[in-house]
Amino acid sequence: MNLLNSNDFWQFACNLYSKGDMQTRLLDYQNQLGKNVNLCLLLYYLDSLNLAINQTQLNKLEQSISEFDKLALKPLRATRAYLKANQAEITDYAAIRKALLGAELKLEKQQQIILIDEVNSMNLTPCATPNNSDKYLS
């Protein structure tokens, strides 16, 4: 298998995220089911490349990002939510929000790099009709 490129994945993810109700659906997976948006996007990306993962590989992908999610992304999201709820008392809220969104986007991209590095260490199975997200979302 040729190695996957994190920039190609980023472009795919940005494109997919912006289509139709995909953003809402992915955020529902995150907020209601506790799923990771970048992992969902990666699974859709692998589907588009006709590559299937097994449950053990999916577990490894989840493990590869769990610490980064817990220590970097989730605290930043919690900070943004707190500031949004209290924006009337926050001086220069708009500028702070913009800076935090920029930082979160950079962290999301870093998490995607972690996922691609992990995928590139695996032997994925070519498959005409993979449905990787079902393994994660069910």
Side-chain angles (χ1 to χ4, degrees):
M1 179 182 96
N2 291 335
L3 294 181
L4 301 182
N5 179 287
S6 61
N7 288 323
D8 292 342
F9 173 41
W10 177 256
Q11 292 305 315
F12 173 89
C14 289
N15 185 39
L16 183 62
Y17 194 81
S18 69
K19 286 189 176 178
D21 71 337
M22 187 56 76
Q23 178 181 356
T24 302
R25 188 177 343 159
L26 288 166
L27 291 176
D28 284 348
Y29 294 155
Q30 175 182 282
N31 298 329
Q32 295 173 15
L33 301 177
K35 300 301 181 179
N36 181 284
V37 169
N38 281 319
L39 185 49
C40 290
L41 289 165
L42 176 68
L43 297 174
Y44 290 129
Y45 182 57
L46 295 176
D47 284 348
S48 77
L49 299 173
N50 294 323
L51 295 170
I53 62 167
N54 61 40
Q55 190 61 51
T56 301
Q57 291 167 324
L58 176 58
N59 294 344
K60 274 188 81 172
L61 288 169
E62 286 183 282
Q63 287 175 328
S64 75
I65 57 171
S66 64
E67 183 175 25
F68 189 84
D69 215 30
K70 178 181 165 188
L71 298 176
L73 278 167
K74 286 182 180 177
L76 183 58
R77 286 188 198 117
T79 300
R80 276 197 320 107
Y82 171 80
L83 293 175
K84 182 177 183 181
N86 296 285
Q87 63 185 289
E89 295 87 40
I90 306 295
T91 304
D92 208 12
Y93 169 74
I96 294 169
R97 179 180 181 276
K98 184 177 179 181
L100 289 177
L101 283 171
E104 187 174 352
L105 205 57
K106 286 180 170 74
L107 291 175
E108 296 283 359
K109 192 169 187 176
Q110 179 58 45
Q111 188 174 62
Q112 288 188 0
I113 291 168
I114 294 166
L115 286 167
I116 289 295
D117 287 347
E118 188 64 35
V119 165
N120 283 335
S121 74
M122 298 175 175
N123 291 318
L124 301 184
T125 307
C127 178
T129 56
N131 198 354
N132 294 306
S133 59
D134 278 357
K135 288 180 189 76
Y136 185 53
L137 297 174
S138 60

